[in-house]
Amino acid sequence: MTDQIRPQPGILDIALYEGGKSHVAGVANAVKLSSNENPFGASDRAKEAFQRSVHSLHRYPSTDHVSLRTAIAEVHGLDARRIICGAGSDEVINFLCQAYAGPKDEVVYTEHGFLMYRIYALAAGATPVEVPERERTADVDAILAACNRRTKLVFLANPNNPTGTMVSAAEVARLAAGLPAQAILVLDGAYAEYVEGYDGGAALVDARDNVVMTRTFSKVYGLGGLRIGWGYGPRHIIDVLNRVRGPFNLSTAQLDVAEAAVRDQDFVAKCRNENARLRSWLAVALAELGVPSDTSMANFVLARFAGQEEAEACDAFLQEQGLIVRRVAGYKLPHCLRITIGDEASCRRVAHAVAQFKGVR
């Protein structure tokens, strides 16, 4: 880098995001439980839509995403005009930072929140403000105390990744009501579908003009490889976001597959039910081995060990057994391992391997 050619302030403060590990050297057919992917994959209807999309690869996709927005609105009882679609919910989060945060502005998030909140804030030139949590759960009073006249965005993942913990609807409403007038509350609902009867905050979005909800097709819908997400918010905010959104930010395949996926709610219910059953089983099995976890509302458990040394040793042992989980030291949880809920066989393999590990300690 020369003295003359420099990136915008904040860019060099960004640490590169590291995704979940996918392979283990020398181990064939390892089970990947590091990225919170759906072990059942995508629904058959989504797969069929993907196959049909090959016939229109030469055509530009829709610029207004009207078919997908209409499908989402019909399934969730929302106003299609207030929905925006993006390449994963990450892109919608990026739009929000790009449109509403900049130099001298502050973006608030909790200490164990999604790493991309900080990254996108810095990319926009804003100042990221990290707020302590209480026993790995967002603390509304601490968030409100961190807000001031410079606060433009407040991010709250509910349920949160990587902790799996959740804040009640009443507390979220209290947070929205207590924010400064210029601030937007962003409810990240990437794991909302795993919570029975939960709307991800949609009702609060309808009740207020300072709340936006983001959602994704990467988790329960099993479409992480296609990168599709969406957001729901007040008309005045969605109008702004559409002004910075690229006209062809989603391909025809993405749009068609997501529409088929969202209309297959029977598949979603099946995945949610199986996840809840296996999540409960694995949490109990680990706790019996002296590895506790908080009550998770997502598709993973955050296993807590005695310290960083034990967590890393267990991770190394699991890899030797062909099981890939996620270290979360980057989330300030060095003594924990995040374990995605896989199918029944993989959950039992994890429990058996941890038992073996604890037995040799």
Side-chain angles (χ1 to χ4, degrees):
M1 181 187 302
T2 70
D3 290 337
Q4 289 76 32
I5 301 175
R6 291 184 173 274
Q8 292 290 337
I11 301 297
L12 293 181
D13 294 325
I14 296 173
L16 293 178
Y17 182 87
E18 293 186 20
K21 193 172 183 179
S22 299
H23 306 284
V24 178
V27 178
N29 302 317
V31 178
K32 183 185 176 189
L33 302 172
S34 58
S35 296
N36 300 339
E37 295 157 332
N38 187 339
F40 304 107
S43 76
D44 289 340
R45 291 172 63 175
K47 294 174 183 177
E48 291 165 3
F50 186 71
Q51 291 175 333
R52 291 193 299 270
S53 72
V54 301
H55 301 295
S56 57
L57 295 180
H58 60 300
R59 301 294 186 190
Y60 276 97
S62 161
T63 61
D64 60 9
H65 310 154
V66 65
S67 293
L68 176 55
R69 289 189 295 106
T70 298
I72 292 170
E74 290 176 355
V75 168
H76 294 289
L78 307 176
D79 181 352
R81 297 170 298 177
R82 295 166 56 191
I83 294 172
I84 184 172
C85 300
S89 55
D90 294 29
E91 187 176 38
V92 180
I93 291 169
N94 189 23
F95 292 156
L96 285 158
C97 289
Q98 183 181 355
Y100 288 99
K104 299 183 180 180
D105 295 330
E106 293 183 352
V107 175
V108 174
Y109 58 95
T110 63
E111 65 178 318
H112 304 310
F114 187 33
L115 293 176
M116 295 306 298
Y117 305 150
R118 170 182 169 82
I119 289 174
Y120 286 138
L122 289 169
T127 300
V129 177
E130 183 180 287
V131 178
E133 296 182 7
R134 182 182 298 173
E135 296 184 348
R136 297 163 302 280
T137 303
D139 183 337
V140 168
D141 289 322
I143 295 172
L144 290 173
C147 294
N148 55 54
R149 60 184 177 81
R150 295 182 296 276
T151 305
K152 292 298 180 66
L153 294 166
V154 175
F155 286 102
L156 177 67
N158 206 35
N160 185 52
N161 170 34
T163 62
T165 57
M166 192 170 178
V167 180
S168 71
E171 282 292 274
V172 175
R174 184 166 72 88
L175 173 58
L179 291 182
Q182 79 285 349
I184 299 170
L185 173 61
V186 183
L187 299 176
D188 183 345
Y191 298 89
E193 286 83 3
Y194 287 105
V195 184
E196 181 72 39
Y198 178 48
D199 70 353
L204 189 62
V205 174
D206 286 336
R208 304 191 59 87
D209 65 357
N210 68 335
V211 182
V212 173
M213 172 182 72
T214 64
R215 302 283 280 271
T216 186
F217 284 91
S218 296
K219 303 305 178 185
V220 78
Y221 290 103
L223 298 177
L226 280 185
R227 309 303 300 125
I228 314 156
W230 57 281
Y232 183 62
R235 286 286 296 276
H236 69 97
I237 294 177
I238 298 302
D239 175 70
V240 169
L241 301 186
N242 274 316
R243 293 171 187 270
V244 298
R245 177 181 64 84
F248 303 110
N249 63 319
L250 289 181
S251 68
T252 299
Q254 289 170 297
L255 294 168
D256 292 348
V257 174
E259 181 179 348
V262 78
R263 292 192 184 280
D264 193 352
Q265 289 299 305
D266 287 343
F267 176 79
V268 172
K270 169 195 167 185
C271 294
R272 178 171 53 243
N273 292 338
E274 274 297 280
N275 177 79
R277 180 179 70 86
L278 293 169
R279 181 183 62 201
S280 177
W281 183 89
L282 182 59
V284 170
L286 293 176
E288 290 175 348
L289 296 170
V291 183
S293 60
D294 297 311
T295 299
S296 173
M297 302 304 292
N299 67 334
F300 55 84
V301 294
L302 183 69
R304 298 200 307 275
F305 294 83
Q308 180 172 357
E309 182 178 355
E310 185 184 36
E312 292 180 351
C314 185
D315 179 43
F317 182 80
L318 290 174
Q319 289 186 47
E320 292 173 1
Q321 309 305 307
L323 297 165
I324 306 173
V325 299
R326 180 74 181 267
R327 293 187 187 182
V328 284
Y331 283 94
K332 301 189 175 181
L333 294 163
H335 61 300
C336 298
L337 296 176
R338 192 191 68 191
I339 306 171
T340 300
I341 305 302
D343 59 15
E344 185 152 359
S346 61
C347 286
R348 292 187 179 278
R349 280 186 61 184
V350 168
H352 180 68
V354 173
Q356 286 184 299
F357 169 77
K358 298 292 280 189
V360 299
R361 294 291 290 171

